[in-house]
Amino acid sequence: LFVPGFGADAHGQNPTKAAVRACRNAIEFNQLPALGDMIPGGREAMKLDVLLAVPSKYQNDLDLEPVRKVFPYGNVRFQIQDGGMVATNGKVIEEMGDINEDMVIVCCAVSVGH
């Protein structure tokens, strides 16, 4: 099973927030109740390979622990690559944590296996 997703942080330049949203976007509309029966060892033995495409200038600020918590079960392995997008949010709003006009966009691909 392979599912893509994307997420953005429009204000605050937080790649972790964008990555959490990307992963939630990838899995939130997928319901496979029999998956646990099909994988030897059940859901806890499931392996999730999560590829995150993150803008290179924001990769050092990425915290994978909150992203890992998006997945309710399985063993999660992350791979980070240059990608995603930096677009303008149109206006710096300091009260929202902005330090510049960057909107951070992260793309993800989640592969499920055993």
Side-chain angles (χ1 to χ4, degrees):
L1 174 67
F2 165 82
V3 287
F6 84 97
D9 183 33
H11 292 281
Q13 297 74 44
N14 187 327
T16 302
K17 221 184 251 189
V20 164
R21 290 173 177 163
C23 290
R24 284 186 18 219
N25 177 250
I27 67 169
E28 67 187 350
F29 296 111
N30 293 293
Q31 182 176 356
L32 300 169
L35 192 61
D37 297 332
M38 297 179 342
I39 294 176
R43 288 182 178 89
E44 295 308 318
M46 183 170 48
K47 293 182 181 169
L48 301 168
D49 286 319
V50 180
L51 174 61
L52 295 172
V54 181
S56 59
K57 75 187 252 185
Y58 289 104
Q59 287 179 10
N60 289 337
D61 298 325
L62 180 63
D63 180 359
L64 292 176
E65 198 50 41
V67 182
R68 186 179 313 278
K69 291 179 181 178
V70 169
F71 302 96
Y73 36 73
N75 301 305
V76 183
R77 181 176 62 182
F78 291 103
Q79 180 181 350
I80 312 301
Q81 71 178 29
D82 290 346
M85 180 186 295
V86 176
T88 183
N89 64 22
K91 179 173 176 58
V92 173
I93 302 175
E94 292 177 6
E95 298 83 25
M96 297 184 79
D98 280 341
I99 56 172
N100 57 40
E101 290 186 9
D102 287 355
M103 175 173 28
V104 179
I105 301 169
V106 173
C107 301
C108 81
V110 180
S111 299
V112 180
H114 61 88

